[in-house]
Amino acid sequence: KQGLTGRVMFYTLFMVLLFGVIMVQYMCPSEDRALVRFIPRFNFSKSDLYRGVDFNIKGDDVIVFLHIQKTGGTTFGRHLVRNIQLERPCECHAGQKKCSCYRPGKKETWLFSRFSTGWSCGLHADWTELTNCVPSRMGPQETPKNLPRRNYYYITILRDPVSRYLSEWRHVQRGATWKASLHVCDGRSPTLSELPSCYSGDDWSGCTLQEFMDCPYNLANNRQTRMLADLSLVGCYNVSTMSEDERWAVLLESAKRNLRSMAFFGLTEYQRKTQYLFERSFNLEFIAPFTQLNGTRASSVEVPAETQHRIRVLNKWDVELYEYARDLFLQRFQVARQQERRQKLCYCSVTSSKSCTFTDGLCNWPHIALNVLIHSRLSCGLKKSSDNGISAVEK
């Protein structure tokens, strides 16, 4: 009789667990469908995929936002200063471009970005500039040797290369120049012969897409790869040190390496997943959900297929970098969701079906009581992860 009772209890437990798993899949269809066609191409280490930083906003840690042009960085930057739940929210005033993002109890910033510290290291400073400039700009840290050094957590946003390129062309066509950019590398800015201009006059307003593509010195070409790489590896802007393909191959590998080591990066095309991964990485939460807007000025431009092909050829290193980044991004998202599902399982005790306790680790299946219930809503997460639903990209 006891053996029969044990078997009944085992099968009952098994059916309850099976029902819970089915409910989880039923209640989370959008997330599963979003990745159903994703097949990983690259093998990443556990340290590359399991992202989570011990960000101490009350200590000395600093988040550094590397803002690449026309990737939706302005929108994301506003999220950082206006849309995060903080013990001491950033102070933003009408008519002022910068906000004061101070730590609790200190008049010291925890965020290095356009909307907090301004362009302190130059307009749209790249990885080479920021990593050499930020520590000195944040002030000398006179700390005893037995205390840890300040942590700088670099973050960035990437965008589909063709869309980003078209967006930059439209922006330049309207008169943007970014002439104030310093492009400092190995202690100096490039000479005019090292970095010639694509136009004469104050700006390049009114330029056609053909003219934009024809300029061999256009920094829009492979901008994301260049801005994420260590330029000192290739002699900075001196292109005579090696062949073009060799130079860009070195830059691409450097950009990939730096991207992997960053505390976080997001993709413009995946706004809600970007929000989710940032929140998981830094243990911070946004107030309002990110919104995916696909109707931008770049998307409204009708570009023939052959022109799109030429843009992809001009930006072939960015195309390769983006494919790599997208693969890493989606693998990180999958891993983060799997972790969350394990952590959000709700176990109900045998004595009271209304009593639930949240676990904060992996499932300890051998010790689960008979009356186990998987809370499907919680295992889906507290937020929906669909990429629908402040604006996603710069127009």
Side-chain angles (χ1 to χ4, degrees):
K1 205 178 241 188
Q2 288 181 345
L4 179 61
T5 302
R7 286 195 294 271
V8 170
M9 290 178 65
F10 173 80
Y11 288 121
T12 303
L13 174 60
F14 176 78
M15 293 305 295
V16 169
L17 291 175
L18 181 61
F19 173 76
V21 171
I22 293 173
M23 286 301 295
V24 168
Q25 297 301 318
Y26 177 75
M27 298 300 290
C28 305
S30 59
E31 174 194 327
D32 296 332
R33 284 201 304 268
L35 297 175
V36 68
R37 289 176 293 182
F38 170 61
I39 301 176
R41 291 179 48 204
F42 300 94
N43 293 320
F44 296 103
S45 67
K46 286 186 177 180
S47 61
D48 291 333
L49 297 177
Y50 288 82
R51 304 306 289 175
V53 298
D54 187 19
F55 176 64
N56 185 5
I57 195 171
K58 295 181 179 181
D60 294 312
D61 295 349
V62 178
I63 293 177
V64 182
F65 180 33
L66 195 165
H67 183 174
I68 301 173
Q69 290 95 317
K70 312 315 295 178
T71 58
T74 297
T75 296
F76 185 76
R78 290 197 180 103
H79 279 304
L80 293 176
V81 299
R82 297 177 181 271
N83 192 31
I84 297 183
Q85 294 181 9
L86 297 170
E87 179 181 336
R88 183 179 182 180
C90 297
E91 299 174 12
C92 303
H93 303 284
Q96 295 183 3
K97 292 183 178 181
K98 294 191 292 184
C99 303
S100 298
C101 296
Y102 295 136
R103 309 179 192 278
K106 298 181 183 179
K107 196 172 182 180
E108 179 183 286
T109 187
W110 55 268
L111 176 65
F112 192 97
S113 74
R114 168 188 180 182
F115 292 119
S116 57
T117 56
W119 301 112
S120 300
C121 290
L123 180 62
H124 286 286
D126 56 29
W127 189 91
T128 305
E129 293 174 292
L130 287 176
T131 53
N132 286 280
C133 167
V134 170
S136 61
R137 288 291 181 178
M138 293 301 296
Q141 189 184 28
E142 299 294 339
T143 56
K145 292 182 179 180
N146 61 328
L147 293 180
R149 298 180 62 183
R150 172 178 285 153
N151 295 312
Y152 294 104
Y153 295 111
Y154 288 83
I155 65 174
T156 195
I157 302 292
L158 298 181
R159 186 180 182 183
D160 169 75
V162 175
S163 298
R164 199 214 63 78
Y165 189 85
L166 289 171
S167 182
E168 180 164 344
W169 162 60
R170 292 298 301 269
H171 198 55
V172 169
Q173 192 181 50
R174 297 192 299 270
T177 63
W178 298 300
K179 286 189 295 187
S181 295
L182 301 176
H183 304 298
V184 174
C185 177
D186 284 352
R188 68 175 181 86
S189 294
T191 64
L192 187 59
S193 61
E194 289 175 330
L195 190 60
S197 177
C198 286
Y199 57 90
S200 59
D202 294 333
D203 57 46
W204 207 5
S205 57
C207 71
T208 65
L209 179 56
Q210 188 66 44
E211 291 171 333
F212 194 73
M213 293 187 297
D214 285 344
C215 178
Y217 320 113
N218 196 342
L219 291 179
N221 299 342
N222 300 297
R223 180 181 289 280
Q224 296 178 104
T225 302
R226 176 178 55 80
M227 290 187 68
L228 286 177
D230 182 357
L231 296 177
S232 63
L233 297 175
V234 294
C236 300
Y237 292 89
N238 180 4
V239 297
S240 64
T241 58
M242 59 186 73
S243 68
E244 183 178 8
D245 281 349
E246 184 182 3
R247 170 186 173 84
W248 279 107
V250 171
L251 290 177
L252 177 62
E253 289 308 308
S254 176
K256 289 179 178 179
R257 183 167 56 251
N258 292 337
L259 193 69
R260 288 195 309 270
S261 65
M262 280 185 165
F264 159 84
F265 73 89
L267 300 181
T268 308
E269 289 74 23
Y270 297 92
Q271 287 293 303
R272 298 299 291 273
K273 290 179 176 61
T274 291
Q275 174 183 353
Y276 175 81
L277 285 178
F278 180 89
E279 292 176 334
R280 292 281 295 183
S281 298
F282 287 96
N283 197 26
L284 296 171
E285 288 192 5
F286 290 100
I287 301 168
F290 288 16
T291 303
Q292 189 75 48
L293 292 182
N294 296 318
T296 66
R297 289 190 178 97
S299 63
S300 65
V301 178
E302 291 189 10
V303 180
E306 58 270 21
T307 303
Q308 291 190 41
H309 175 71
R310 187 182 175 195
I311 292 174
R312 291 181 66 85
V313 171
L314 286 171
N315 292 273
K316 67 177 183 177
W317 305 102
D318 266 13
V319 169
E320 187 170 342
L321 175 66
Y322 184 81
E323 291 175 353
Y324 182 86
R326 179 180 178 273
D327 196 286
L328 176 56
F329 177 86
L330 293 178
Q331 286 196 52
R332 283 182 178 177
F333 180 80
Q334 287 180 325
V335 167
R337 293 300 284 180
Q338 290 167 1
Q339 284 182 313
E340 185 188 33
R341 285 177 175 177
R342 293 189 184 103
Q343 293 168 349
K344 298 296 184 182
L345 291 176
C346 177
Y347 303 119
C348 294
S349 68
V350 177
T351 56
S352 173
S353 61
K354 296 180 181 179
S355 173
C356 293
T357 304
F358 296 105
T359 63
D360 192 26
L362 300 180
C363 302
N364 193 8
W365 296 113
H367 300 287
I368 297 178
L370 171 64
N371 195 14
V372 176
L373 177 65
I374 299 180
H375 196 304
S376 58
R377 286 286 187 188
L378 287 170
S379 63
C380 286
L382 299 179
K383 305 175 188 67
K384 295 179 180 178
S385 63
S386 57
D387 285 311
N388 310 317
I390 293 177
S391 84
V393 295
E394 298 174 39
K395 297 183 179 180

